[in-house]
C-alpha cells in the first residue's frame, strides 16, 4: 500500500511539491479508493514517518523511480549509450525542476545538528545510483578499478549537469554533451599519463636490477 | 502506567492466548493460566482495586517516566487540524483515567488552535471512568462536546454507540495487553475507524538489550509489587500488572497481528521507547 500511495503521489509533486500534503492527497488518487478525504497527518506519519521523514521517503521513492525510467524503451542493457541514459534521467527532472532544490535540501538536513549540520551521503548516493544505472544500460564491461573509475567519472558529469539544469534548464543538454566530451578526452589523457608512468617505473626497476639493488 | 480495558469472553481468542481444554478454554492472567471466562472478572477486580491510586502508583513505579512516554506518543500522533470547523473524532479505549484524552485535547488546542476535535473515552471499568470524569472536572473541557465517557468493551464496542467508519484516530495506551482477545480488539478498532483512520497503541514491550532486560526484570518483579504493597496495600494487583507485561507479544509479533486485522503499517510498524520498555505501534485503515 505504501508503494501504491507513493506512485499515486508522483503526478502530484508538480503541483504540491515533495510535501506531506502530496502524500495525504495521494490516497484520493488510489484506484477504487474508498477515501473521500485526504489522509490525516497522523495517518501520513504512521505510514511514512513523522516530520521530514515522510518527505524524505517521497523524495527517495521519486528518485528511485527516475532510475527505473532511465531505461526508457531499452530492451536490455547495452541498447543505450551513457549519453542517452543521462539525458533520460535529466528529462525525468523537467516537470518538477522548481521543486528539486528544496527536495535536495530536505535530503541533506539532519534531525540533530551534531556532529554534522548537513548530511552529504544522500547526494552522493543519488549521483552514484544514476551513474551505475547509466553504465549498466550502456553495457559497460569494466572490471576492477576501471569499474569504479568509470562510474565516478559518469557520476561527476551527471552531478554537474543536474546542478546546471536547476539554474539553466534550457542549456542543460548541451552542457551534458560538453561534459561527456571533456570526460572522454580527460580519460584518454589519464590513460596516456598512466602508460607513461608505468614506462618510467619499469625503466627504473630495470636500472635497479642491473645495479644489483633489487 | 498500566491502563486496561478488560473483558473475559467465553469465545476462544487466538491459540497463543487461549488454549482448548475440553469444555472451558483457558487464557493467561499474568503467569497463571485461568479459565477465559473468568479473566474479565479478575482483571476488573485488579483495576477497581488500583483505580483511586492509579496515577500515584504510575509515577512511583516508573519514576514519572510514563508521562514522558505518553507525551511522546501524543507528539508523534500530532492530533489536531489547523483548519477551523474540521472535526477530528478520536476514540481513546481503555482510557479510564483520561490522561491520554486530556493530552490529545491539549495538544490539538495548543499546537493547532483546534477546538473542534473530540475524544470519546471508553473503559470497561466504571471506577476508572469515574477517575477520568473527576480529572476532567478540573479542566476547561468539562461539560463540553469535546469529551465524553462511555462504559464499553474494547472487544465488542456496541455498534449503536460506536458505528462503523466513524473515527479518525483510535488510541489505546497500556490497555490492550489486559484484553482476553487482542485480535478482537484490533478487529473492532478497524471497524470503527474511517478509511484513512489511524490506530495507535502505546504498550509495554520486549527490551532488546539482554543486559538491560535483566536489570528491568529485577526492578519489575521486586520493586513494583513492593511499591504496590506499600503505597496501595495491594501487592497482588501490581504483581499481576508486571506479569501481564511479560506475556504480551514482541514488537514484531504484535505488528503482524495489526496487519492481519487489516491495517497498513509503515516500513517497520513500531517505534521503541527506552530500549523497548514501551513501544508505539501504528497502523492505518486504507
Amino acid at each position: 500500500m505504501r508503494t501504491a500511495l507513493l506512485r499515486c503521489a508522483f503526478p502530484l509533486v508538480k503541483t504540491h511539491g515533495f510535501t506531506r500534503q502530496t502524500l495525504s492527497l495521494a490516497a484520493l488518487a488510489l484506484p477504487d479508493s474508498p477515501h473521500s478525504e485526504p489522509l490525516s497527518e497522523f495517518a501520513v506519519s504512521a505510514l511514512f514517518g513523522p516530520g521530514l521523514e515522510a518527505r524524505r521517503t517521497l523524495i527517495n521513492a521519486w528518485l528511485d523511480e527516475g532510475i527505473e525510467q532511465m531505461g526508457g524503451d531499452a530492451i536490455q542493457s547495452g541498447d543505450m549509450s551513457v549519453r542517452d541514459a543521462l539525458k533520460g534521467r535529466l528529462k525525468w527532472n523537467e516537470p518538477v525542476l522548481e521543486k528539486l532544490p528544496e527536495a535536495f535540501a530536505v535530503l541533506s538536513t539532519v534531525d540533530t545538528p551534531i556532529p554534522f549540520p548537513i548530511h552529504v551521503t544522500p547526494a552522493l548516493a543519488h549521483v552514484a545510483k544514476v551513474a551505475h544505472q547509466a553504465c549498466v544500460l550502456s553495457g559497460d564491461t569494466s572490471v576492477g578499478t576501471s569499474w569504479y573509475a568509470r562510474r565516478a567519472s559518469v557520476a561527476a558529469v551527471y552531478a554537474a549537469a543536474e546542478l546546471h539544469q536547476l539554474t539553466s534548464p534550457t542549456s542543460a543538454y548541451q552542457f551534458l554533451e560538453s561534459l561527456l566530451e571533456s570526460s572522454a578526452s580527460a580519460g584518454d589523457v589519464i590513460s596516456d599519463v598512466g602508460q607513461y608512468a608505468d614506462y618510467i617505473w619499469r625503466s627504473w626497476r630495470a636500472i635497479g636490477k642491473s645495479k644489483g639493488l633489487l | 502506567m498500566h491502563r486496561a480495558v478488560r473483558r473475559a469472553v467465553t469465545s476462544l481468542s487466538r491459540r497463543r492466548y487461549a488454549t482448548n481444554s475440553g469444555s472451558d478454554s483457558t487464557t493467561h492472567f499474568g503467569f497463571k493460566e485461568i479459565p477465559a471466562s473468568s479473566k474479565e472478572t479478575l482483571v476488573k477486580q485488579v483495576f477497581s482495586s488500583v483505580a483511586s491510586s492509579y496515577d500515584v502508583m504510575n509515577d512511583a513505579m516508573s519514576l514519572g517516566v510514563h508521562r514522558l512516554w505518553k507525551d511522546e506518543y501524543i507528539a508523534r500522533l500530532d492530533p489536531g487540524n489547523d483548519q477551523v470547523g474540521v472535526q477530528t473524532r478520536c476514540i481513546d479505549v481503555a482510557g479510564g483515567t483520561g490522561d491520554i484524552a486530556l493530552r490529545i485535547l491539549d495538544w490539538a488546542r495548543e499546537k493547532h488552535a483546534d477546538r473542534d476535535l473530540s475524544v470519546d473515552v471508553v473503559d470497561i471499568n466504571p471506577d476508572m471512568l469515574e477517575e477520568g470524569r473527576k480529572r476532567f472536572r478540573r479542566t476547561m473541557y468539562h461539560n463540553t462536546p469535546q469529551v465524553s465517557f462511555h462504559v464499553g468493551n474494547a472487544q465488542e464496542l456496541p455498534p449503536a454507540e460506536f458505528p462503523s467508519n466513524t473515527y479518525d484516530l483510535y488510541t489505546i495506551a497500556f490497555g490492550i495487553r489486559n484484553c482476553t482477545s487482542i485480535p478482537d480488539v484490533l478487529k473492532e478498532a478497524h471497524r470503527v475507524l474511517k478509511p484513512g483512520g489511524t490506530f495507535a497503541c502505546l504498550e509495554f514491550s520486549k527490551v532488546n538489550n539482554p543486559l538491560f532486560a535483566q536489570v528491568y526484570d529485577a526492578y519489575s518483579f521486586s520493586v513494583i509489587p513492593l511499591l504496590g504493597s506499600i503505597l496501595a496495600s495491594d501487592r497482588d494487583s501490581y504483581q499481576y500488572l508486571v506479569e501481564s507485561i511479560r506475556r504480551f507479544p514482541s514488537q514484531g509479533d504484535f505488528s503482524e497481528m495489526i496487519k492481519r486485522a487489516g491495517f497498513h503499517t509503515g516500513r517497520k510498524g513500531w517505534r521503541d521507547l527506552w530500549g523497548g520498555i514501551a513501544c508505539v505501534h501504528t497502523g492505518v485503515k486504507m
Side-chain angles (χ1 to χ4, degrees):
Chain A
M1 179 54 65
R2 283 177 87 239
T3 309
L5 275 171
L6 287 167
R7 283 188 182 274
C8 287
F10 294 154
L12 301 173
V13 170
K14 189 176 171 182
T15 44
H16 296 90
F18 294 96
T19 60
R20 293 172 62 90
Q21 188 191 13
T22 302
L23 289 168
S24 174
L25 290 169
L28 300 175
L30 282 171
D32 302 321
S33 173
H35 300 271
S36 56
E37 300 163 357
L39 290 178
S40 60
E41 276 293 307
F42 27 83
V44 171
S45 295
L47 288 171
F48 301 106
L52 287 179
E53 197 177 321
R55 296 182 70 185
R56 288 189 200 112
T57 304
L58 175 58
I59 295 165
N60 283 321
W62 185 87
L63 291 174
D64 288 342
E65 183 68 13
I67 303 276
E68 294 291 319
Q69 297 295 327
M70 277 170 73
D73 294 328
I75 307 291
Q76 56 188 5
S77 65
D79 286 354
M80 188 177 253
S81 65
V82 167
R83 173 180 282 101
D84 291 336
L86 294 182
K87 278 185 178 174
R89 183 59 187 79
L90 287 177
K91 199 167 177 57
W92 175 251
N93 286 347
E94 281 174 6
V96 300
L97 266 180
E98 60 188 26
K99 312 290 184 195
L100 281 179
E102 189 188 351
F104 290 135
V106 167
L107 283 182
S108 304
T109 51
V110 291
D111 294 323
T112 51
I114 297 167
F116 301 109
I118 60 169
H119 197 31
V120 299
T121 314
L124 296 174
H126 161 56
V127 296
K129 280 184 197 173
V130 171
H132 176 68
Q133 181 73 349
C135 291
V136 165
L137 288 170
S138 67
D140 178 55
T141 53
S142 310
V143 292
T145 52
S146 302
W147 188 95
Y148 293 97
R150 179 75 177 129
R151 278 150 181 77
S153 153
V154 173
V157 164
Y158 176 74
E162 189 170 61
L163 279 172
H164 184 93
Q165 186 186 33
L166 292 178
T167 51
S168 179
T170 50
S171 57
Y173 296 101
Q174 291 95 313
F175 187 69
L176 174 67
E177 293 277 359
S178 67
L179 283 177
L180 286 169
E181 281 164 17
S182 307
S183 166
S185 59
D188 292 338
V189 167
I190 291 171
S191 176
D192 291 343
V193 167
Q195 267 188 334
Y196 182 69
D198 187 52
Y199 168 72
I200 298 296
W201 158 246
R202 285 173 191 277
S203 304
W204 278 102
R205 199 165 157 225
I207 293 170
K209 274 187 178 173
S210 66
K211 297 273 187 198
L213 297 172
L214 295 174
Chain B
M1 179 191 306
H2 314 280
R3 300 180 60 202
V5 173
R6 302 148 296 280
R7 183 106 172 192
V9 294
T10 54
S11 62
L12 284 174
S13 67
R14 292 185 65 81
R15 189 162 52 125
R16 194 183 175 99
Y17 301 100
T19 54
N20 275 316
S21 57
S23 58
D24 194 12
S25 61
T26 61
T27 185
H28 62 86
F29 180 75
F31 287 157
K32 303 185 189 104
E33 287 295 314
I34 56 166
S37 54
S38 57
K39 179 162 181 177
E40 177 189 351
T41 308
L42 290 171
V43 173
K44 191 174 176 182
Q45 283 169 1
V46 165
F47 282 88
S48 289
S49 169
V50 306
S52 59
S53 58
Y54 193 70
D55 287 337
V56 169
M57 277 306 301
N58 283 344
D59 280 331
M61 288 190 294
S62 68
L63 306 176
V65 172
H66 74 106
R67 294 173 191 273
L68 297 178
W69 293 334
K70 287 168 182 168
D71 289 343
E72 182 162 350
Y73 176 53
I74 298 304
R76 286 198 177 276
L77 290 174
D78 189 22
N81 198 309
D82 293 323
Q83 292 178 38
V84 176
V86 173
Q87 196 191 19
T88 304
R89 291 201 63 186
C90 307
I91 179 171
D92 181 39
V93 177
T97 59
D99 54 352
I100 294 294
L102 186 56
R103 280 176 166 83
I104 290 173
L105 289 165
D106 281 345
W107 182 275
R109 176 175 56 82
E110 290 168 9
K111 302 293 180 192
H112 299 284
D114 184 349
R115 294 309 303 274
D116 298 305
L117 181 142
S118 66
V119 184
D120 293 342
V121 181
V122 182
D123 201 293
I124 200 170
N125 190 305
D127 297 320
M128 295 287 275
L129 275 178
E130 189 47 42
E131 291 297 315
R133 286 193 187 92
K134 203 188 298 181
R135 179 196 297 268
F136 269 86
R137 277 198 283 276
R138 299 187 198 107
T139 71
M140 68 179 79
Y141 308 108
H142 175 59
N143 270 351
T144 71
Q146 284 194 270
V147 67
S148 58
F149 294 86
H150 310 263
V151 176
N153 177 358
Q155 290 170 191
E156 274 183 286
L157 295 170
E161 210 174 339
F162 304 100
S164 303
N165 301 313
T166 303
Y167 293 98
D168 299 287
L169 178 64
Y170 178 112
T171 52
I172 181 167
F174 300 121
I176 200 168
R177 75 177 189 285
N178 295 293
C179 300
T180 306
S181 173
I182 292 172
D184 285 344
V185 175
L186 294 172
K187 189 172 130 200
E188 277 296 280
H190 193 267
R191 179 182 72 76
V192 300
L193 280 167
K194 289 178 189 170
T198 302
F199 167 84
C201 173
L202 171 64
E203 189 53 82
F204 288 108
S205 198
K206 302 285 184 253
V207 173
N208 301 316
N209 182 294
L211 187 62
F212 186 38
Q214 286 187 6
V215 172
Y216 177 55
D217 279 348
Y219 174 75
S220 299
F221 285 102
S222 52
V223 174
I224 292 178
L226 182 62
L227 282 175
S229 63
I230 294 170
L231 293 178
S233 305
D234 190 353
R235 184 188 178 92
D236 289 344
S237 292
Y238 285 89
Q239 181 74 26
Y240 158 75
L241 293 177
V242 173
E243 289 176 1
S244 66
I245 292 170
R246 296 298 180 280
R247 293 302 299 257
F248 194 69
S250 65
Q251 288 88 325
D253 288 345
F254 186 47
S255 188
E256 282 304 310
M257 293 172 79
I258 290 170
K259 286 179 193 167
R260 277 197 289 269
F263 290 103
H264 294 269
T265 65
R267 189 175 297 163
K268 197 170 157 192
W270 71 87
R271 194 175 288 264
D272 283 333
L273 304 175
W274 285 50
I277 295 180
C279 185
V280 179
H281 285 262
T282 49
V284 179
K285 175 177 175 177
M286 294 299 293

